[in-house]
Amino acid sequence: MGASAGTLVLAGTPIGEVMDAPPRLAAELEAADVVAAEDTRRLRRLTQALGVQTRGRVVSYFEGNESARTPELVEALEGGARVLLVTDAGMPSVSDPGYRLVAAAVEKDIKVTAVPGPSAVLTALALSGLPVDRFCFEGFLPRKAGERIGRLREVADERRTLVYFEAPHRLDDTLTAMAEVFGGERRAAVCRELTKTYEEVKRGGLGELAAWAAEGVRGEITVVVAGAPETGPAELDADELVRRVRVREEAGERRKEAIAAVAADAGLPKREVFDAVVAAKNAAKAVTKNAAKDGPRR
């Protein structure tokens, strides 16, 4: 792309308190040739709160029109425009519109830069009281119960701290599913209304938090969950090895690969895990056989 190409600017916006807006945001809002906003009404409220005016063209850019709007914005960038992308709260592309536009701009060799700003992910991590040296962001879980359980099983043995976004009306079901898959004692923190007037951080075991959420929770939610404990060979009994293999199988892995992965994670020979799985299978068969032999009692 030639020197006449424009610049795509990804700008972080406040996740609650307007005073958290980065100083550069006001300058970029005034200087942009095009401002692409997830919600133009929220953008209007933001500019009023910051005391600035957008001189460029304002267009909507949200999940429903992201695919159709991206080529138009790329064309503006190719023509030399400075395009500012903002979402309702936080950084664009992080569970918000933006990825498609960034990818399209990169493909055209158009400059992409950012105005760093507030992030619910990092704010929740910092407040959670859980390890933050290694973490992974999982976004929103699927709405359907079966898919939600399947997604959680995929990371049941993940040792890094996990971060999720969730809608308040689904928080109860999500925490209950997490307690089922990760264990009710796994530590977690529910961060609600971060930086807003009614900010709240509720910490505890997943079972405890699920019971708390059953009463109903309002506001924007970020959930931080501790990673799986780093357990050594002596701490894993046969039942736990079998459980880990089953979780991986239910997530779609073949038994051979699941056994190899569990053995590697636990620092054990594959044969030891294999024997535990076979023993559990034989025990289940014996229980079924005895039940059939005894027949119904009168």
Side-chain angles (χ1 to χ4, degrees):
M1 181 61 61
S4 61
T7 299
L8 173 61
V9 183
L10 310 177
T13 55
I15 59 177
E17 176 56 61
V18 175
M19 291 178 64
D20 291 336
R24 275 182 55 204
L25 177 59
E28 291 288 353
L29 284 166
E30 290 186 324
D33 299 302
V34 181
V35 179
E38 185 176 9
D39 187 325
T40 57
R41 292 167 299 180
R42 288 200 181 192
L43 172 65
R44 191 177 305 113
R45 290 197 293 269
L46 177 61
T47 55
Q48 289 173 350
L50 295 176
V52 300
Q53 289 186 336
T54 54
R55 296 187 173 89
R57 181 165 57 98
V58 175
V59 299
S60 62
Y61 190 76
F62 60 99
E63 185 179 358
N65 72 352
E66 194 174 357
S67 296
R69 184 78 78 184
T70 294
E72 174 189 329
L73 294 176
V74 170
E75 183 178 352
L77 287 164
E78 289 179 308
R82 190 172 185 84
V83 176
L84 179 68
L85 177 61
V86 294
T87 59
D88 291 346
M91 286 298 297
S93 291
V94 183
S95 277
D96 277 323
Y99 168 74
R100 286 188 179 91
L101 182 55
V102 172
V106 169
E107 185 178 350
K108 296 288 186 179
D109 199 25
I110 294 169
K111 181 181 178 181
V112 180
T113 188
V115 177
S119 165
V121 175
L122 297 180
T123 303
L125 273 167
L127 295 177
S128 70
L130 299 172
V132 298
D133 54 332
R134 299 175 66 226
F135 68 90
C136 54
F137 175 57
E138 288 288 307
F140 285 93
L141 286 166
R143 289 184 173 88
K144 294 182 178 179
E147 295 177 4
R148 184 189 304 124
I149 288 288
R151 183 74 61 80
L152 290 172
R153 283 172 175 160
E154 291 176 7
V155 294
D157 297 324
E158 174 59 64
R159 291 179 179 174
R160 294 173 294 177
T161 299
L162 302 162
V163 184
Y164 295 89
F165 287 161
E166 191 51 278
H169 62 279
R170 289 198 298 269
L171 181 62
D172 178 13
D173 291 338
T174 291
L175 291 172
T176 299
M178 287 179 171
E180 176 184 337
V181 176
F182 299 153
E185 298 304 312
R186 179 84 71 92
R187 302 299 295 174
V190 176
C191 303
R192 186 180 73 85
E193 294 289 270
L194 289 172
T195 80
K196 300 183 179 72
T197 302
Y198 298 103
E199 175 181 283
E200 179 181 20
V201 180
K202 187 75 173 177
R203 304 175 183 88
L206 284 168
E208 174 190 349
L209 291 173
W212 164 75
E215 299 178 6
V217 178
R218 294 182 179 181
E220 296 185 356
I221 306 292
T222 305
V223 180
V224 185
V225 184
E230 295 189 25
T231 50
E235 299 177 84
L236 294 180
D237 59 18
D239 289 342
E240 176 61 15
L241 294 174
V242 172
R243 186 194 72 80
R244 293 189 176 198
V245 170
R246 184 173 65 251
V247 165
R248 287 181 171 275
E249 284 187 292
E250 291 174 348
E253 286 189 19
R254 295 172 58 187
R255 177 165 294 180
K256 182 178 179 181
E257 283 75 16
I259 288 173
V262 170
D265 286 344
L268 295 171
K270 286 188 286 186
R271 185 71 196 183
E272 186 170 338
V273 181
F274 174 80
D275 288 345
V277 171
V278 171
K281 183 178 180 181
N282 290 338
K285 284 183 177 179
V287 170
T288 302
K289 183 177 181 180
N290 290 335
K293 184 190 300 183
D294 293 342
R297 296 179 179 273
R298 294 185 179 180

